[in-house]
Amino acid sequence: MGRISKKLGRYILLLLFTFSASGLLAKTWVVNPEGKIKTIKEAVNLARSGDTVMIKPGIYKEHDITITKAIFLKGQNFPVIDGQSAHQIVTVESDNVVIEGIEFRNSGSSSYLDISALKISKSRNVTVKSNRFKDNFFAIHSMESPNGTLIGNEILSGGRKGMKFANGIHCWKTSNMRIVNNTISGHRDGIYLEFVTHSIIKDNKSIGNKRYGLHFMFSHDNTYTHNRLSKNGAGVAVMYSNRVVMRQNIFSENWGNAAYGILLKEINDSIIEDNRFERNTTAIFAESTNRIQMANNQFIKNGWAIQLQSSASDMNIVGNNFMGNTFDVSTNGRLASNKFDSNYWDKYEGYDLNRDGSGDIPYHPVSFYSIIIQRNPGALMLFRSFLVKLMDKAESVLPSLTPVDVLDGNPQIKKINHAHK
């Protein structure tokens, strides 16, 4: 009889453990300024893994809330957690945490500490979904936290006069991230990735940030699709990375002396396809880049469509539309190892006698005037003058400065129809 009782006891304990692990015994802790539990920190401390902390509407002036258990932190009608411009607000130090429906406001700032509205540290499978971040230093700062999902968040900074700001989404030393459908504005860099690999960055809007809309370094094997990167201080910086895929993004209205749609520096074995570059000072600036497939893009009304430095090699520039750009291609070298083929150039004045859709004479996209501007920027004051037009015409007949080996042997007579655009 004693043995049966012991076995029955062990069986009951096993059932309880199983129910608890499966979430059947999970509990919801309600935070309400007028209820039993008045602070988020108290509810988080009481909760166990698998529990939900439900935050009722209100303004909670709390900070340094640390989550060390796999809980669901959920806001009802966007309760505000206010860091009072002095503190870090929430820190996640546990795997499998979900944070949804909360407004994080007024984190502290520092010139040497990475103070954040939400910091995720060494935690896997963390989901940050449909939250609002307003006037924070770093909004979301994820470090050494793989398999995270940042989706549907609104991130806005710069509303307070004289406030300091860092990056909207900042990821460091992690992998397999999903950064999807976020809107970021007013930060230093909208999205910043460093040592981030095998991740998907999709459907984000990074608009009106002080420096870069997107900035990544040493981040390999990532895919960027359907993002809109517009009106940022210096556009997008892509540095020291390999096997990058950028498709169907919009890079627009990045104006300024050092503004680019994309700045490419030491990028290798990558794909830039089906993107739209419109009204940027320079759509693409490439330095020390190798083996880039640049195809089916739209370059529309940019200052410079493409600036290729002599250190860029094995670029395959095929099937793009160049329309309304001041300069289509500019270079400080010969670019003999790069290929231009079957692009549409609205400045092409050739003919197509056999009606196969390709011009019968090659097109040289580097103009004489663009070479002059490269060497002497002050010459830009002569733009649209008769003298410049005369020099360009003469150079096209008897090339002296422009690289004769930079040519498109099959310039398209009509604009290329990229159906998905």
Side-chain angles (χ1 to χ4, degrees), residues 210-274:
K210 307 303 179 183
R211 189 171 65 173
Y212 298 116
L214 169 66
H215 184 188
F216 62 88
M217 304 173 66
F218 310 107
S219 294
H220 312 305
D221 302 293
N222 295 317
T223 299
Y224 305 81
T225 63
H226 297 93
N227 300 287
R228 184 180 184 90
L229 304 141
S230 181
K231 298 181 180 179
N232 298 293
V236 172
V238 181
M239 302 180 178
Y240 313 111
S241 302
N242 301 325
R243 299 174 300 280
V244 174
V245 175
M246 304 188 82
R247 286 195 174 105
Q248 294 184 298
N249 303 284
I250 296 174
F251 305 85
S252 66
E253 299 185 76
N254 300 293
W255 295 110
N257 290 335
Y260 310 98
I262 303 180
L263 165 64
L264 301 173
K265 184 175 178 61
E266 298 199 29
I267 305 299
N268 303 303
D269 304 301
S270 296
I271 296 171
I272 301 173
E273 289 183 344
D274 306 319

Side-chain angles (χ1 to χ4, degrees), residues 180-313:
V180 179
N181 195 31
N182 301 283
T183 300
I184 311 107
S185 182
H187 277 271
R188 181 176 62 198
D189 294 345
I191 301 173
Y192 178 89
L193 311 176
E194 187 172 5
F195 301 109
V196 174
T197 62
H198 300 96
S199 296
I200 294 173
I201 297 86
K202 180 180 179 183
D203 292 322
N204 300 283
K205 295 178 182 178
S206 186
I207 299 172
N209 294 287
K210 307 303 179 183
R211 189 171 65 173
Y212 298 116
L214 169 66
H215 184 188
F216 62 88
M217 304 173 66
F218 310 107
S219 294
H220 312 305
D221 302 293
N222 295 317
T223 299
Y224 305 81
T225 63
H226 297 93
N227 300 287
R228 184 180 184 90
L229 304 141
S230 181
K231 298 181 180 179
N232 298 293
V236 172
V238 181
M239 302 180 178
Y240 313 111
S241 302
N242 301 325
R243 299 174 300 280
V244 174
V245 175
M246 304 188 82
R247 286 195 174 105
Q248 294 184 298
N249 303 284
I250 296 174
F251 305 85
S252 66
E253 299 185 76
N254 300 293
W255 295 110
N257 290 335
Y260 310 98
I262 303 180
L263 165 64
L264 301 173
K265 184 175 178 61
E266 298 199 29
I267 305 299
N268 303 303
D269 304 301
S270 296
I271 296 171
I272 301 173
E273 289 183 344
D274 306 319
N275 302 284
R276 185 180 183 91
F277 298 87
E278 186 168 7
R279 298 180 62 82
N280 303 283
T281 299
T282 299
I284 296 180
F285 182 95
E287 180 181 357
S288 301
T289 57
N290 302 284
R291 299 176 299 280
I292 307 295
Q293 174 75 6
M294 196 179 296
N296 304 334
N297 300 287
Q298 310 272 4
F299 295 92
I300 303 170
K301 297 181 180 179
N302 301 283
W304 283 264
I306 301 177
Q307 286 190 309
L308 294 180
Q309 300 301 94
S310 58
S311 54
S313 63

Side-chain angles (χ1 to χ4, degrees), residues 102-121:
I102 299 168
E103 181 172 314
F104 296 83
R105 186 189 296 175
N106 300 331
S107 76
S109 61
S110 173
S111 57
Y112 59 94
L113 296 175
D114 295 336
I115 295 175
S116 315
L118 174 60
K119 179 166 286 184
I120 305 165
S121 178

Side-chain angles (χ1 to χ4, degrees), residues 32 48 110 122 145 152 155 165 184 220 223 301 319 349 392 409:
N32 189 333
R48 296 182 178 182
S110 173
K122 298 182 179 179
S145 298
I155 303 171
F165 44 81
I184 311 107
H220 312 305
T223 299
K301 297 181 180 179
E349 297 177 346
D392 276 338

Side-chain angles (χ1 to χ4, degrees), residues 9 34 50 67 74-75 103 123 178-179 186 262 297 319 342 344 403 416:
E34 299 178 357
I67 299 173
K74 182 174 177 60
E103 181 172 314
S123 303
R178 291 184 70 248
I179 302 174
I262 303 180
N297 300 287
S342 301
Y344 170 73
I416 302 166

